[in-house]
PDB file of all heavy atoms in Angstrom:
ATOM      1  N   ASP A  64      -0.069  29.814  11.675  1.00  0.00           N
ATOM      2  CA  ASP A  64       0.953  30.531  10.904  1.00  0.00           C
ATOM      3  C   ASP A  64       0.281  31.467   9.899  1.00  0.00           C
ATOM      4  O   ASP A  64       0.748  32.585   9.659  1.00  0.00           O
ATOM      5  CB  ASP A  64       1.864  29.540  10.169  1.00  0.00           C
ATOM      6  CG  ASP A  64       3.315  30.023  10.133  1.00  0.00           C
ATOM      7  OD1 ASP A  64       3.561  31.181  10.490  1.00  0.00           O
ATOM      8  OD2 ASP A  64       4.191  29.236   9.736  1.00  0.00           O
ATOM      9  N   HIS A 252       8.062  22.292   6.490  1.00  0.00           N
ATOM     10  CA  HIS A 252       7.326  23.541   6.769  1.00  0.00           C
ATOM     11  C   HIS A 252       8.085  24.647   6.031  1.00  0.00           C
ATOM     12  O   HIS A 252       9.136  25.094   6.471  1.00  0.00           O
ATOM     13  CB  HIS A 252       7.340  23.765   8.290  1.00  0.00           C
ATOM     14  CG  HIS A 252       6.672  25.037   8.730  1.00  0.00           C
ATOM     15  ND1 HIS A 252       5.510  25.055   9.477  1.00  0.00           N
ATOM     16  CD2 HIS A 252       7.010  26.341   8.565  1.00  0.00           C
ATOM     17  CE1 HIS A 252       5.169  26.302   9.746  1.00  0.00           C
ATOM     18  NE2 HIS A 252       6.060  27.106   9.197  1.00  0.00           N
ATOM     19  N   HIS A 254       8.323  28.363   3.949  1.00  0.00           N
ATOM     20  CA  HIS A 254       7.769  29.690   3.658  1.00  0.00           C
ATOM     21  C   HIS A 254       8.095  30.047   2.205  1.00  0.00           C
ATOM     22  O   HIS A 254       9.006  29.492   1.587  1.00  0.00           O
ATOM     23  CB  HIS A 254       8.275  30.715   4.670  1.00  0.00           C
ATOM     24  CG  HIS A 254       7.532  30.592   5.971  1.00  0.00           C
ATOM     25  ND1 HIS A 254       6.465  31.385   6.274  1.00  0.00           N
ATOM     26  CD2 HIS A 254       7.664  29.714   7.008  1.00  0.00           C
ATOM     27  CE1 HIS A 254       5.981  31.029   7.457  1.00  0.00           C
ATOM     28  NE2 HIS A 254       6.686  30.013   7.937  1.00  0.00           N
ATOM     29  N   ASN A 289       2.859  30.913   3.270  1.00  0.00           N
ATOM     30  CA  ASN A 289       3.302  29.536   3.517  1.00  0.00           C
ATOM     31  C   ASN A 289       3.063  28.694   2.264  1.00  0.00           C
ATOM     32  O   ASN A 289       2.516  29.175   1.276  1.00  0.00           O
ATOM     33  CB  ASN A 289       2.472  28.942   4.659  1.00  0.00           C
ATOM     34  CG  ASN A 289       2.872  29.459   6.034  1.00  0.00           C
ATOM     35  OD1 ASN A 289       2.739  30.639   6.320  1.00  0.00           O
ATOM     36  ND2 ASN A 289       3.368  28.593   6.865  1.00  0.00           N
ATOM     37  N   GLN A 561       7.171  33.925  17.087  1.00  0.00           N
ATOM     38  CA  GLN A 561       8.595  33.880  16.765  1.00  0.00           C
ATOM     39  C   GLN A 561       9.314  35.188  17.090  1.00  0.00           C
ATOM     40  O   GLN A 561      10.390  35.421  16.605  1.00  0.00           O
ATOM     41  CB  GLN A 561       8.775  33.503  15.300  1.00  0.00           C
ATOM     42  CG  GLN A 561       8.447  32.053  15.065  1.00  0.00           C
ATOM     43  CD  GLN A 561       7.562  31.904  13.854  1.00  0.00           C
ATOM     44  OE1 GLN A 561       6.432  32.341  13.838  1.00  0.00           O
ATOM     45  NE2 GLN A 561       8.092  31.285  12.822  1.00  0.00           N
TER      46      GLN A 561
HETATM   47 ZN1   ZN B 257       6.176  29.173   9.785  1.00  0.00          ZN
END
Side-chain angles (χ1 to χ4, degrees):
D64 217 349
H252 178 114
H254 282 264
N289 285 64
Q561 288 133 294

